[in-house]
């Protein structure tokens, strides 16, 4: 009986210590932006959404001060990493992420969103930050350089984040213009 009691107490102590370690690890690994962002659920941002005569401008939606956003819903959960042809995503010049995505959980990288226009897949660009939150990404976005530019999203598989995942882009476009954010 005494041995059973010692075993039970030992298991309870082990469980309690594991819960503390697990909670401490979660707190250490969690980037603040993974818990503090604005949701965007907008199917018109999809790379498959073409213009219907109503062009949308992200300068009216985003501010000049970068903020954290997470994309959800039918429009997609990730900024597209492939160049997008003009007049998609319900805008003139669609934006796509042209840099490497963060592969490890709780990692943030800086990258570039390019906007397609005038024969160039990167006629304008914007510097952004992207954080891998484990099962989703959050993006630190601000106003694009001019009107009629828009961040475009795509739907990704549910298992898109793995330790062996490699997300690539179709390359940077020469002669890209960099305009100051006003």
């Amino acid at each position: 009986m005494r041995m059973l009691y010692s075993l039970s107490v030992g298991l309870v102590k082990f469980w309690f210590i594991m819960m503390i370690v697990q909670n401490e690890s979660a707190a250490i690994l969690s980037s603040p932006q993974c818990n503090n962002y604005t949701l965007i659920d907008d199917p018109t941002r999809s790379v498959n959404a073409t213009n219907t005569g109503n062009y949308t401008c992200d300068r009216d939606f985003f501010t000049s001060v970068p903020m954290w956003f997470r994309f959800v819903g039918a429009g997609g959960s990730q900024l597209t990493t492939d160049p997008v042809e003009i007049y998609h995503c319900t805008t003139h010049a669609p934006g796509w992420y042209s840099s490497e995505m963060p592969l490890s959980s709780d990692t943030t990288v800086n990258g570039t969103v390019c906007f397609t226009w005038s024969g160039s897949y990167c006629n304008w660009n914007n510097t952004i930050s992207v954080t891998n939150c484990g099962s989703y990404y959050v993006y630190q976005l601000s106003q694009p350089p001019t009107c009629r530019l828009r961040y475009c999203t795509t739907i990704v598989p549910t298992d898109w984040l793995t330790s062996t995942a490699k997300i690539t882009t179709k390359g940077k476009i020469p002669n890209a213009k960099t305009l100051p954010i006003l």
Side-chain angles (χ1 to χ4, degrees), residues 6-83:
S6 289
L7 183 59
S8 296
V9 170
L11 287 175
V12 168
K13 285 180 183 176
F14 177 76
W15 177 83
F16 184 74
I17 290 169
M18 290 306 295
M19 292 304 292
I20 290 172
V21 169
Q22 186 177 23
N23 287 339
E24 288 296 319
S25 296
I28 292 169
L29 294 175
S30 183
S31 297
Q33 60 268 29
C34 291
N35 300 305
N36 187 17
Y37 52 79
T38 301
L39 281 177
I40 298 178
D41 183 358
D42 184 357
T44 67
R45 288 186 178 279
S46 168
V47 294
N48 299 316
T50 55
N51 177 43
T52 59
N54 296 322
Y55 295 107
T56 305
C57 176
D58 268 351
R59 282 192 70 81
D60 300 335
F61 185 83
F62 295 94
T63 65
S64 59
V65 177
M67 293 176 56
W68 290 100
F69 296 90
R70 177 181 175 192
F71 296 100
V72 296
S77 58
Q78 179 179 321
L79 287 181
T80 186
T81 56
D82 294 317

Side-chain angles (χ1 to χ4, degrees), residues 67-131:
M67 293 176 56
W68 290 100
F69 296 90
R70 177 181 175 192
F71 296 100
V72 296
S77 58
Q78 179 179 321
L79 287 181
T80 186
T81 56
D82 294 317
V84 182
E85 295 299 322
I86 61 173
Y87 302 117
H88 281 75
C89 312
T90 322
T91 193
H92 283 104
W96 59 282
Y97 186 68
S98 67
S99 303
E100 294 292 322
M101 298 295 282
L103 298 179
S104 301
S105 185
D106 198 44
T107 304
T108 301
V109 298
N110 293 324
T112 302
V113 171
C114 286
F115 297 91
T116 303
W117 190 249
S118 191
S120 172
Y121 282 115
C122 204
N123 196 61
W124 297 279
N125 65 63
N126 223 9
T127 300
I128 69 166
S129 294
V130 182
T131 298

